[in-house]
Amino acid sequence: MAEVDYNVWLDKGRFDDAERVYQEHLAQLKAGGCKGSSTSSTPTAVATSGSGGGCKLGARVEALEKENKEFRSIIDNLTRRLAALESGSSSAAPAPQMSNCPPLKPPTKTETKEEEAEDGDDFELFGSDEEEEKVDAEADRVRQERLAAYEAKKSKKPVVVAKSNIILDVKPWDDETDMAKLEECVRSIEMDGLLWGASKLVPLAYGIKKLQISVVVEDDKVSTDELEERLLAFEDYIQSMDIAAFNKI
């Protein structure tokens, strides 16, 4: 951008005073205050008249007008140059000359692959979809292994079987009932989850005795109702059956 030489009109006050004096002098001339070889009211006529201080003032005014015109010409020139610079800066800059530049070579396959790899690294901020799928698959595999290990451990753990210890009172019909045969009939009952225990004869009244026998049963396999039904099936020996005690093991 070319350097612009700016000029400032610092003597404007002096020119204003001279203009005022010139106008006053013209008024005096119109009134007939300055007489010379010519009656013209121009500054040149005033300067050539040579009559008094008023004529000298006219020459001074003429010089000031000339200087004023020069300043105006300079200002107009600067204005035109400034407008030209502003219009040039707003227009697009000319394209650079490419005559001396060597011709561009097409990129090789190696360079293209390297650029693609770099672009991939720039955009894959959080990893690719393949990496996410691998992570998910690994997490699923670990979860399945843990579930399998838990199931194997659970299967090896011994299952607690709920059992009960029951004491039965088995009563005969009378004192003539063969208690040995009665106990034999009772112990002849076999069921999965049933184990007979100790027994004894307990006197009731009038010489009648009852058989008191203990039995251990698995709660899920043997019910007391079914056991009672099978005992009362020996109706020739057994009159009734009562549960004297029932304890969980």
Side-chain angles (χ1 to χ4, degrees):
M1 183 175 178
E3 182 178 0
V4 180
D5 186 11
Y6 294 94
N7 291 326
V8 182
W9 192 4
L10 301 175
D11 298 330
K12 185 176 183 304
R14 293 174 56 194
F15 285 95
D16 293 337
D17 293 338
E19 182 71 17
R20 180 179 55 78
V21 173
Y22 175 69
Q23 295 296 333
E24 291 176 357
H25 179 66
L26 289 179
Q28 291 177 2
L29 289 177
K30 289 180 180 179
C34 180
K35 297 179 181 180
S37 59
S38 176
T39 59
S40 176
S41 61
T42 62
T44 305
V46 176
T48 56
S49 63
S51 59
C55 296
K56 294 180 180 180
L57 183 61
R60 184 178 177 185
V61 170
E62 184 180 359
L64 291 175
E65 284 184 349
K66 184 179 180 181
E67 187 175 358
N68 188 14
K69 289 180 180 180
E70 292 177 356
F71 277 122
R72 288 187 179 181
S73 177
I74 293 172
I75 291 173
D76 293 339
N77 188 18
L78 291 175
T79 303
R80 288 192 298 272
R81 292 176 65 184
L82 181 60
L85 291 174
E86 289 179 352
S87 62
S89 62
S90 61
S91 63
Q97 298 294 332
M98 302 297 292
S99 59
N100 297 328
C101 296
L104 297 176
K105 295 181 180 180
T108 61
K109 294 183 178 181
T110 305
E111 294 177 351
T112 305
K113 291 181 179 179
E114 291 178 356
E115 290 178 357
E116 291 178 355
E118 291 178 356
D119 294 339
D121 294 339
D122 293 339
F123 288 102
E124 292 180 1
L125 298 178
F126 301 100
S128 62
D129 295 337
E130 295 180 357
E131 292 179 356
E132 293 180 357
E133 291 177 357
K134 290 180 180 179
V135 172
D136 294 339
E138 183 66 18
D140 292 339
R141 185 183 63 80
V142 173
R143 183 166 55 252
Q144 294 297 332
E145 290 179 356
R146 291 180 178 176
L147 289 174
Y150 174 75
E151 292 295 336
K153 184 178 179 181
K154 185 178 179 181
S155 62
K156 294 179 181 179
K157 186 176 181 181
V159 180
V160 178
V161 179
K163 295 181 180 181
S164 301
N165 185 17
I166 305 174
I167 297 177
L168 302 177
D169 285 343
V170 182
K171 299 175 182 178
W173 287 100
D174 51 28
D175 57 347
E176 295 179 356
T177 303
D178 188 354
M179 298 302 294
K181 187 63 177 179
L182 185 148
E183 182 176 357
E184 183 181 352
C185 293
V186 171
R187 291 184 180 272
S188 66
I189 298 174
E190 294 181 356
M191 299 173 61
D192 185 20
L194 183 144
L195 179 63
W196 294 107
S199 63
K200 64 179 180 178
L201 296 176
V202 178
L204 285 176
Y206 306 104
I208 302 173
K209 296 181 180 179
K210 65 180 179 179
L211 176 67
Q212 192 172 74
I213 186 172
S214 65
V215 61
V216 177
V217 298
E218 294 183 11
D219 297 341
D220 295 336
K221 296 180 180 181
V222 180
S223 66
T224 57
D225 294 337
E226 183 181 2
L227 182 58
E228 182 179 5
E229 182 179 354
R230 295 187 66 173
L231 286 173
L232 295 179
F234 300 103
E235 56 185 8
D236 293 338
Y237 300 97
I238 300 174
Q239 177 192 8
S240 62
M241 185 210 76
D242 295 327
I243 297 176
F246 193 105
N247 298 315
K248 293 287 185 180
I249 299 177

